[in-house]
Amino acid sequence: MSTILTVAIPEITRHPSDIPAWPRTDRRYPPAMEALAERLSHLDAQAEGAIRVVQFYDTLMRRRVDLPALARASAVLAECVAGLRLHGTGRAIRMAPDGRNASTPPAPASTTMPITLDEEEIGTVWLERPGPPVPLDELLLDRLAIAAAAAAEKYGPARTTMADPALVELAISTDSDDAATARALRLLGFAADLPIHVLAVRSQLPLDQIAGRLCPTRPVKAAPLADAGVILATTIDPARLPSGVRAGIGATDSPSRSWQQARAALRFTTARQPVIHYDDLGALTLLTEIPPDTARHNTDVTAIARMADNPEDLETLDAYCATGSLRQAADLLHLHHSSVARRIEQLAKTLRIDLTEPTGLTRARLALTTWRLLNN
C-alpha cells in the first residue's frame, strides 16, 4: 500500500498590516530595531536621491545645455554655489542657488571633482558649501563633471564666434605640444581632421563681425590678443573681409606656425594692400629677420623716416614703388603724370637715390618696406 505524504501549509498573511505586533508593554520597538529601521530609511532616501541626481543630469545632457547652464542647474540642485573651470581658459563659472552668477567672493570648495576627457584632466568642478559635504555631493559632482566634459567637447564651443583668449592662445602657442594643441582645438569646436586657417587682424570693427563675415557657414573662432586679433577658421574667403580691415593670413600648417606667419604678413599690410597671404611674400619675409637696430640705422631707412613726416610724399613714393611707372602712379593718386614726375624728382633728391633706375627703385622699395616693418 502506498503512503500519502501530507504537509501542513501555514497560514498566508495577506497584508503587512496583518503581521502580529511585536509584543511590548511600552509601545516601543527595541532600540536595536529602531536603529535598524532608521538606517534603512536613510538608505532608501539616499537611493532615491541618487536616482534623481542621475536622471537630472541625463536630462541636461540630452538637452545639450552649455557650461553656465550646467553650473546654474547644479547650484539650484545642491542649494549652494556650484562652479566649474576649464584648464587653460583662466575663467571660472560660479553660480548661486538663485540661478544667478555668484557675487560673493569664492569660498573654499567643500567638494571637488576633475573634469576628464580622453583620460586627460581638462578642468575642475566644485561645490562651495558652508557646512560639511552632504552624502550626495560626490555623486552630484561626478555627474556634473561628465556633463561638463561632454558640453566642452561637443556643444558649447560651436555656438558662438568669440572664444576665450586663453584657450585660443593655448591652441596657437609655440610652447604647446601636439596633444595640448589638439585638445584646445577640440574644446574650441574644431574637428581633428580639418585644416585650420589662422589670421592676424587689426580693425576698429568688432572681431566677431569680421569672423562671421569671413566664414559664415563653417566653424570659426576669434579672440583678441595683445597685439592683434586672431581668427581660427576651417575655410576662409578673404574677399568677404569688410573694408578697412587689415589681415595677415598664415599657411595651413600647424596653428602655432600659421599664427607666426599671419603676424608677419600683417606687418606688411598697407592701406593699398590690406590683406596679405604669407606665402605671397616670398623672399620679403627675410626682412623680418633683420635686427630692428640694424634696420633703423640704415641710411635709406633713415631717409624714409625723415620723409614720413610728410604724408603726401610718402603716398607718392608708395604709389610709384608699387607700380614702377609714373603714369600708373598718377592714376592711383588721381593726379596728372607731370605732377607726379615733379614729386618723384624731388623725392629722389631727398633720398639721394636715382628712382628712374631699377637698382634705385629696388632700394626705395626695400627701404619703404623695412620702415613699415619697424612701425607695425
Side-chain angles (χ1 to χ4, degrees):
M1 179 179 295
S2 60
T3 303
I4 300 177
L5 180 64
T6 59
V7 179
I9 301 176
E11 181 181 357
I12 299 176
T13 302
R14 297 183 178 178
H15 192 272
S17 61
D18 296 332
I19 299 176
W22 185 275
R24 62 188 185 280
T25 58
D26 58 355
R27 295 186 176 278
R28 293 176 55 193
Y29 287 106
M33 290 295 294
E34 286 189 348
L36 178 60
E38 184 177 358
R39 183 180 178 186
L40 290 175
S41 176
H42 286 318
L43 290 175
D44 287 344
Q46 290 183 25
E48 292 177 2
I51 293 173
R52 286 197 298 268
V53 168
V54 172
Q55 292 176 340
F56 179 76
Y57 282 100
D58 285 348
T59 300
L60 293 179
M61 292 177 66
R62 285 197 302 271
R63 293 179 179 177
R64 302 185 176 186
V65 300
D66 57 13
L67 295 176
L70 284 173
R72 184 180 302 110
S74 300
V76 174
L77 183 64
E79 298 182 348
C80 68
V81 173
L84 62 86
R85 178 188 292 107
L86 296 181
H87 297 336
T89 67
R91 183 172 67 96
I93 300 174
R94 297 175 62 244
M95 291 294 177
D98 60 3
R100 301 178 182 179
N101 290 321
S103 57
T104 58
S110 60
T111 312
T112 62
M113 187 78 64
I115 304 173
T116 58
L117 184 63
D118 295 339
E119 299 182 355
E120 294 186 45
E121 184 176 331
I122 65 170
T124 307
V125 294
W126 68 89
L127 295 177
E128 300 174 19
R129 192 177 293 285
V134 301
L136 291 178
D137 279 359
E138 186 173 351
L139 175 63
L140 186 151
L141 286 180
D142 178 68
R143 304 305 298 184
L144 173 57
I146 293 173
E153 181 183 27
K154 298 180 180 179
Y155 312 125
R159 292 188 177 182
T160 59
T161 298
M162 297 302 294
D164 192 299
L167 192 57
V168 171
E169 192 168 6
L170 185 64
I172 62 177
S173 173
T174 55
D175 296 330
S176 300
D177 55 26
D178 291 342
T181 299
R183 183 168 63 252
L185 290 174
R186 184 171 63 249
L187 293 176
L188 287 168
F190 294 104
D193 57 343
L194 293 178
I196 302 297
H197 299 264
V198 183
L199 285 78
V201 176
R202 288 199 185 104
S203 174
Q204 298 298 320
L205 296 175
L207 199 56
D208 58 337
Q209 293 184 17
I210 299 172
R213 291 186 58 174
L214 180 70
C215 185
T217 61
R218 301 292 296 278
V220 59
K221 291 294 173 184
L225 296 186
D227 56 348
V230 56
I231 295 177
L232 305 177
T234 53
T235 60
I236 58 171
D237 182 3
R240 299 180 63 91
L241 287 170
S243 176
V245 174
R246 294 196 182 189
I249 304 174
T252 56
D253 194 357
S254 71
S256 60
R257 270 195 297 271
S258 185
W259 169 240
Q260 298 299 320
Q261 295 170 355
R263 291 177 62 191
L266 180 63
R267 297 176 62 192
F268 285 90
T269 60
T270 65
R272 201 180 309 282
Q273 194 174 7
V275 180
I276 291 181
H277 290 259
Y278 181 84
D279 288 342
D280 294 338
L281 291 171
L284 288 176
T285 60
L286 297 175
L287 294 176
T288 62
E289 300 180 15
I290 300 175
D293 287 341
T294 302
R296 191 173 292 109
H297 292 95
N298 179 269
T299 303
D300 290 347
V301 176
T302 302
I304 294 290
R306 289 195 303 265
M307 191 184 66
D309 294 335
N310 189 332
E312 186 178 88
D313 288 346
L314 196 64
E315 185 181 15
T316 301
L317 181 63
D318 177 44
Y320 183 68
C321 287
T323 61
S325 164
L326 290 175
R327 290 191 177 275
Q328 292 182 28
D331 290 339
L332 287 177
L333 297 170
H334 304 291
L335 296 172
H336 194 273
H337 72 275
S338 59
S339 299
V340 175
R342 286 193 297 270
R343 290 187 183 184
I344 294 298
E345 183 179 357
Q346 185 61 41
L347 291 176
K349 293 178 181 179
T350 302
L351 296 173
R352 297 181 181 181
I353 298 175
D354 186 353
L355 296 176
T356 61
E357 294 292 326
T359 301
L361 184 58
T362 300
R363 284 177 56 186
R365 285 172 173 165
L366 289 175
L368 182 60
T369 302
T370 303
W371 175 81
R372 284 193 178 120
L373 291 177
L374 290 172
N375 292 276
N376 285 333

